[in-house]
Amino acid sequence: MKESIDAILHGEQAEYLDSLLPTRDAVLQALEADADQHGVPIVDPEVGRFLQIAALSVDARRILEVGTATGYSGLHFLQVLPPDGELITIDIDDARQRAAHDYWRQAGVAAQATTLLGPALELLPTVTGTFDLVFLDAIKDEYRRYLDLALPLLRAGGLVLADNVLRAGRVARRDSGDADAASLDDFNRYAMGHPQLRSLVLPLGDGLLYAVKTAE
């Protein structure tokens, strides 16, 4: 997690911002330790906190997540959902989704989470209902297609968030050897110019796209 923000900010700035974060609870700390030990990609802690702020800012009751991993970002969402709220999250890795459920159970929020197992591009067309927030954090070269499939499910005024959109600074450098960097550059430009979105890329964590749906 540390490498990504250090690649965007000066080291002392990253350390200062990290020092301002409140201590995470025991379940979040366990998730962070597990991710470090097993190389599981999760959002940076400051991104996790931003996810909560974003969800609260739109009074989110239904959240759609593409990329469950072991449940770190999902737990941040679940911790701020109202009692009648719901998180629907998609991933292709059964073992990681089962681990996520275990962490959510430990945190007492598992009842509000629904996991869908399989490729997101196949499952997104089967999802129904209206969402207040969509979070993308899965296969990077599929982000643009995720957005196209998820945007009709998002209410006007709802949020789209996408992680890793600066890819440790490689997107801005247009590294020729990184295909994901090129895909993310294409996604960023697509989202920034999308007629239904008002978007901004934030230098937060590994880069976070923040967008508001302005029209149906």
Side-chain angles (χ1 to χ4, degrees), residues 71-86:
Y72 187 71
S73 52
L75 181 53
H76 279 88
F77 285 132
L78 289 163
Q79 287 177 335
V80 296
L81 278 176
D84 62 344
E86 179 185 25

Side-chain angles (χ1 to χ4, degrees), residues 87-101:
L87 170 70
I88 295 179
T89 179
I90 300 170
D91 206 282
I92 59 173
D93 192 317
D94 180 54
R96 286 184 177 177
Q97 280 197 335
R98 284 187 278 108
H101 260 294

